Short mmCIF file of all heavy atoms in Angstrom, two decimals:
data_model
loop_
_atom_site.label_atom_id
_atom_site.label_comp_id
_atom_site.label_asym_id
_atom_site.label_seq_id
_atom_site.Cartn_x
_atom_site.Cartn_y
_atom_site.Cartn_z
N SER A 34 94.38 70.56 106.14
CA SER A 34 93.45 71.08 107.13
C SER A 34 92.08 71.04 106.47
O SER A 34 91.93 71.48 105.33
CB SER A 34 93.81 72.51 107.56
OG SER A 34 92.90 72.98 108.53
N GLY A 35 91.08 70.49 107.16
CA GLY A 35 89.80 70.20 106.52
C GLY A 35 88.94 71.40 106.14
O GLY A 35 88.54 71.55 104.98
N PRO A 36 88.62 72.29 107.09
CA PRO A 36 87.76 73.44 106.74
C PRO A 36 88.49 74.42 105.83
O PRO A 36 89.65 74.77 106.09
CB PRO A 36 87.44 74.07 108.10
CG PRO A 36 87.74 73.00 109.11
CD PRO A 36 88.86 72.21 108.53
N LEU A 37 87.83 74.90 104.79
CA LEU A 37 88.51 75.73 103.81
C LEU A 37 88.95 77.08 104.40
O LEU A 37 89.95 77.64 103.98
CB LEU A 37 87.61 75.95 102.59
CG LEU A 37 88.26 76.58 101.36
CD1 LEU A 37 89.54 75.87 100.95
CD2 LEU A 37 87.27 76.60 100.19
N PHE A 38 88.22 77.60 105.39
CA PHE A 38 88.60 78.90 105.94
C PHE A 38 89.99 78.88 106.55
O PHE A 38 90.68 79.92 106.58
CB PHE A 38 87.57 79.37 106.98
CG PHE A 38 87.77 78.84 108.37
CD1 PHE A 38 88.49 79.55 109.32
CD2 PHE A 38 87.25 77.61 108.75
CE1 PHE A 38 88.67 79.06 110.61
CE2 PHE A 38 87.42 77.11 110.04
CZ PHE A 38 88.14 77.84 110.96
N THR A 39 90.44 77.73 107.04
CA THR A 39 91.76 77.66 107.66
C THR A 39 92.87 77.90 106.65
O THR A 39 93.99 78.26 107.02
CB THR A 39 91.98 76.29 108.35
OG1 THR A 39 91.87 75.25 107.37
CG2 THR A 39 90.97 76.06 109.45
N HIS A 40 92.56 77.71 105.37
CA HIS A 40 93.52 77.95 104.30
C HIS A 40 93.44 79.37 103.76
O HIS A 40 94.13 79.69 102.78
CB HIS A 40 93.28 76.96 103.15
CG HIS A 40 93.51 75.53 103.50
ND1 HIS A 40 94.76 74.95 103.48
CD2 HIS A 40 92.65 74.56 103.91
CE1 HIS A 40 94.66 73.68 103.84
NE2 HIS A 40 93.39 73.41 104.11
N GLN A 41 92.59 80.20 104.36
CA GLN A 41 92.32 81.53 103.79
C GLN A 41 92.61 82.70 104.73
O GLN A 41 93.10 83.73 104.30
CB GLN A 41 90.84 81.61 103.36
CG GLN A 41 90.46 80.61 102.30
CD GLN A 41 88.96 80.55 102.09
OE1 GLN A 41 88.18 80.94 102.95
NE2 GLN A 41 88.54 80.06 100.93
N LEU A 42 92.26 82.56 106.02
CA LEU A 42 92.20 83.74 106.87
C LEU A 42 93.55 84.42 107.07
O LEU A 42 93.64 85.65 107.09
CB LEU A 42 91.55 83.41 108.22
CG LEU A 42 90.09 82.93 108.15
CD1 LEU A 42 89.47 82.92 109.53
CD2 LEU A 42 89.25 83.78 107.20
N SER A 43 94.62 83.65 107.22
CA SER A 43 95.95 84.28 107.31
C SER A 43 96.30 84.99 106.01
O SER A 43 96.99 86.03 106.02
CB SER A 43 97.01 83.23 107.63
OG SER A 43 96.74 82.58 108.86
N HIS A 44 95.80 84.47 104.90
CA HIS A 44 96.12 85.00 103.58
C HIS A 44 95.38 86.30 103.28
O HIS A 44 95.70 86.97 102.29
CB HIS A 44 95.77 83.97 102.50
CG HIS A 44 96.55 82.71 102.59
ND1 HIS A 44 97.56 82.38 101.71
CD2 HIS A 44 96.47 81.67 103.46
CE1 HIS A 44 98.08 81.20 102.02
NE2 HIS A 44 97.42 80.75 103.09
N MET A 45 94.40 86.66 104.09
CA MET A 45 93.74 87.95 103.87
C MET A 45 94.75 89.08 104.03
O MET A 45 94.64 90.11 103.38
CB MET A 45 92.59 88.13 104.85
CG MET A 45 91.46 87.13 104.66
SD MET A 45 89.94 87.56 105.53
CE MET A 45 90.47 87.56 107.24
N TRP A 46 95.74 88.89 104.90
CA TRP A 46 96.70 89.94 105.19
C TRP A 46 98.08 89.67 104.61
O TRP A 46 98.82 90.62 104.33
CB TRP A 46 96.83 90.12 106.71
CG TRP A 46 95.66 90.80 107.32
CD1 TRP A 46 95.41 92.15 107.32
CD2 TRP A 46 94.57 90.19 108.02
NE1 TRP A 46 94.23 92.40 107.99
CE2 TRP A 46 93.69 91.23 108.43
CE3 TRP A 46 94.24 88.89 108.36
CZ2 TRP A 46 92.52 91.00 109.14
CZ3 TRP A 46 93.07 88.65 109.07
CH2 TRP A 46 92.22 89.69 109.46
N ILE A 47 98.46 88.42 104.47
CA ILE A 47 99.84 88.10 104.10
C ILE A 47 99.89 87.44 102.72
O ILE A 47 99.18 86.47 102.46
CB ILE A 47 100.48 87.17 105.15
CG1 ILE A 47 100.44 87.82 106.53
CG2 ILE A 47 101.92 86.85 104.76
CD1 ILE A 47 100.90 86.91 107.66
N ASP A 48 100.73 87.99 101.87
CA ASP A 48 100.97 87.43 100.54
C ASP A 48 102.04 86.35 100.67
O ASP A 48 103.23 86.64 100.76
CB ASP A 48 101.42 88.55 99.60
CG ASP A 48 101.65 88.06 98.18
OD1 ASP A 48 101.41 86.86 97.91
OD2 ASP A 48 102.07 88.88 97.34
N PHE A 49 101.58 85.10 100.66
CA PHE A 49 102.51 83.98 100.85
C PHE A 49 103.11 83.47 99.54
O PHE A 49 103.82 82.46 99.54
CB PHE A 49 101.79 82.83 101.56
CG PHE A 49 101.58 83.05 103.04
CD1 PHE A 49 100.35 83.44 103.53
CD2 PHE A 49 102.62 82.88 103.94
CE1 PHE A 49 100.13 83.63 104.89
CE2 PHE A 49 102.44 83.08 105.29
CZ PHE A 49 101.19 83.46 105.77
N ARG A 50 102.81 84.14 98.43
CA ARG A 50 103.36 83.69 97.15
C ARG A 50 104.88 83.82 97.15
O ARG A 50 105.42 84.90 97.31
CB ARG A 50 102.77 84.50 96.00
CG ARG A 50 101.28 84.27 95.77
CD ARG A 50 100.72 85.19 94.71
NE ARG A 50 100.83 86.59 95.12
CZ ARG A 50 100.41 87.62 94.38
NH1 ARG A 50 99.88 87.39 93.18
NH2 ARG A 50 100.53 88.86 94.83
N GLY A 51 105.55 82.70 96.99
CA GLY A 51 107.00 82.72 96.82
C GLY A 51 107.82 82.85 98.08
O GLY A 51 109.05 82.84 98.02
N ILE A 52 107.17 82.98 99.24
CA ILE A 52 107.93 83.01 100.50
C ILE A 52 107.71 81.68 101.22
O ILE A 52 106.62 81.13 101.20
CB ILE A 52 107.57 84.22 101.40
CG1 ILE A 52 106.12 84.14 101.88
CG2 ILE A 52 107.81 85.53 100.64
CD1 ILE A 52 105.76 85.19 102.92
N ARG A 53 108.76 81.18 101.85
CA ARG A 53 108.69 79.83 102.42
C ARG A 53 109.35 79.79 103.79
O ARG A 53 110.40 80.40 104.00
CB ARG A 53 109.41 78.83 101.51
CG ARG A 53 108.85 78.71 100.10
CD ARG A 53 109.71 77.76 99.28
NE ARG A 53 109.12 77.50 97.97
CZ ARG A 53 109.62 76.64 97.09
NH1 ARG A 53 110.74 75.96 97.39
NH2 ARG A 53 109.04 76.44 95.94
N ASP A 54 108.74 79.02 104.69
CA ASP A 54 109.41 78.69 105.95
C ASP A 54 110.13 77.35 105.74
O ASP A 54 110.14 76.80 104.64
CB ASP A 54 108.40 78.64 107.10
CG ASP A 54 107.30 77.62 106.89
OD1 ASP A 54 107.35 76.83 105.91
OD2 ASP A 54 106.35 77.59 107.72
N GLU A 55 110.73 76.85 106.81
CA GLU A 55 111.51 75.62 106.68
C GLU A 55 110.65 74.45 106.19
O GLU A 55 111.08 73.65 105.35
CB GLU A 55 112.15 75.27 108.03
CG GLU A 55 113.02 74.02 107.99
CD GLU A 55 113.65 73.70 109.33
OE1 GLU A 55 113.53 74.53 110.26
OE2 GLU A 55 114.25 72.62 109.45
N PHE A 56 109.42 74.35 106.70
CA PHE A 56 108.55 73.25 106.30
C PHE A 56 108.26 73.31 104.81
O PHE A 56 108.34 72.29 104.11
CB PHE A 56 107.24 73.29 107.10
CG PHE A 56 106.31 72.16 106.79
CD1 PHE A 56 106.38 70.97 107.51
CD2 PHE A 56 105.37 72.26 105.77
CE1 PHE A 56 105.51 69.91 107.21
CE2 PHE A 56 104.52 71.22 105.46
CZ PHE A 56 104.58 70.04 106.19
N MET A 57 107.90 74.48 104.31
CA MET A 57 107.54 74.60 102.90
C MET A 57 108.76 74.47 101.99
O MET A 57 108.65 73.96 100.87
CB MET A 57 106.80 75.91 102.65
CG MET A 57 105.35 75.87 103.12
SD MET A 57 104.40 74.58 102.25
CE MET A 57 102.78 74.80 102.97
N ARG A 58 109.92 74.92 102.45
CA ARG A 58 111.14 74.69 101.66
C ARG A 58 111.39 73.20 101.51
O ARG A 58 111.78 72.73 100.42
CB ARG A 58 112.34 75.38 102.32
CG ARG A 58 112.39 76.88 102.13
CD ARG A 58 113.74 77.47 102.55
NE ARG A 58 113.94 77.37 103.99
CZ ARG A 58 113.54 78.29 104.87
NH1 ARG A 58 112.91 79.36 104.46
NH2 ARG A 58 113.79 78.14 106.16
N HIS A 59 111.18 72.45 102.58
CA HIS A 59 111.39 71.01 102.54
C HIS A 59 110.46 70.34 101.54
O HIS A 59 110.84 69.35 100.89
CB HIS A 59 111.18 70.42 103.93
CG HIS A 59 111.31 68.93 104.00
ND1 HIS A 59 112.53 68.28 103.91
CD2 HIS A 59 110.36 67.95 104.14
CE1 HIS A 59 112.33 66.97 103.98
NE2 HIS A 59 111.03 66.74 104.13
N HIS A 60 109.23 70.87 101.40
CA HIS A 60 108.25 70.27 100.49
C HIS A 60 108.15 70.99 99.15
O HIS A 60 107.25 70.68 98.35
CB HIS A 60 106.88 70.23 101.17
CG HIS A 60 106.80 69.25 102.30
ND1 HIS A 60 106.62 67.90 102.11
CD2 HIS A 60 106.91 69.42 103.64
CE1 HIS A 60 106.61 67.28 103.29
NE2 HIS A 60 106.78 68.18 104.23
N ASP A 61 109.09 71.90 98.90
CA ASP A 61 109.14 72.63 97.63
C ASP A 61 107.77 73.23 97.27
O ASP A 61 107.28 73.09 96.15
CB ASP A 61 109.62 71.71 96.50
CG ASP A 61 110.00 72.51 95.24
OD1 ASP A 61 110.33 73.70 95.38
OD2 ASP A 61 109.92 71.94 94.14
N SER A 62 107.17 73.91 98.24
CA SER A 62 105.87 74.53 98.03
C SER A 62 105.83 75.84 98.81
O SER A 62 106.85 76.29 99.35
CB SER A 62 104.76 73.59 98.50
OG SER A 62 103.47 74.12 98.22
N ASP A 63 104.68 76.50 98.83
CA ASP A 63 104.45 77.64 99.71
C ASP A 63 102.99 77.61 100.14
O ASP A 63 102.19 76.82 99.63
CB ASP A 63 104.85 78.97 99.06
CG ASP A 63 104.06 79.29 97.79
OD1 ASP A 63 102.82 79.14 97.79
OD2 ASP A 63 104.68 79.73 96.81
N TYR A 64 102.63 78.47 101.10
CA TYR A 64 101.29 78.40 101.67
C TYR A 64 100.22 78.85 100.66
O TYR A 64 99.07 78.40 100.73
CB TYR A 64 101.20 79.23 102.95
CG TYR A 64 101.94 78.59 104.10
CD1 TYR A 64 103.23 79.01 104.45
CD2 TYR A 64 101.37 77.56 104.84
CE1 TYR A 64 103.92 78.42 105.50
CE2 TYR A 64 102.06 76.96 105.89
CZ TYR A 64 103.33 77.40 106.21
OH TYR A 64 104.01 76.80 107.25
N PHE A 65 100.58 79.71 99.73
CA PHE A 65 99.63 80.10 98.68
C PHE A 65 99.30 78.92 97.78
O PHE A 65 98.13 78.62 97.52
CB PHE A 65 100.20 81.26 97.86
CG PHE A 65 99.26 81.77 96.80
CD1 PHE A 65 98.42 82.84 97.07
CD2 PHE A 65 99.22 81.20 95.53
CE1 PHE A 65 97.55 83.32 96.09
CE2 PHE A 65 98.37 81.67 94.56
CZ PHE A 65 97.52 82.74 94.84
N GLN A 66 100.34 78.24 97.31
CA GLN A 66 100.13 77.06 96.47
C GLN A 66 99.35 75.99 97.24
O GLN A 66 98.49 75.29 96.69
CB GLN A 66 101.47 76.50 96.00
CG GLN A 66 101.37 75.30 95.07
CD GLN A 66 100.77 75.65 93.71
OE1 GLN A 66 100.81 76.81 93.30
NE2 GLN A 66 100.21 74.67 93.02
#
């Protein structure tokens, strides 16, 4: 996603470290990384 804010605003409230949905499990990553 191009604009940097799109990678940040959900993270103001949610700690995505180490939690994964199906998409991130498939790519062996998480939204924080």
Side-chain angles (χ1 to χ4, degrees):
S34 181
L37 191 51
F38 84 94
T39 60
H40 296 276
Q41 298 170 339
L42 298 192
S43 301
H44 297 254
M45 295 193 299
W46 286 280
I47 302 173
D48 182 2
F49 284 102
R50 293 175 297 180
I52 65 172
R53 300 176 174 185
D54 60 6
E55 182 180 352
F56 183 90
M57 284 300 181
R58 284 192 292 272
H59 177 73
H60 290 280
D61 193 25
S62 185
D63 60 46
Y64 288 99
F65 182 93
Q66 183 67 23

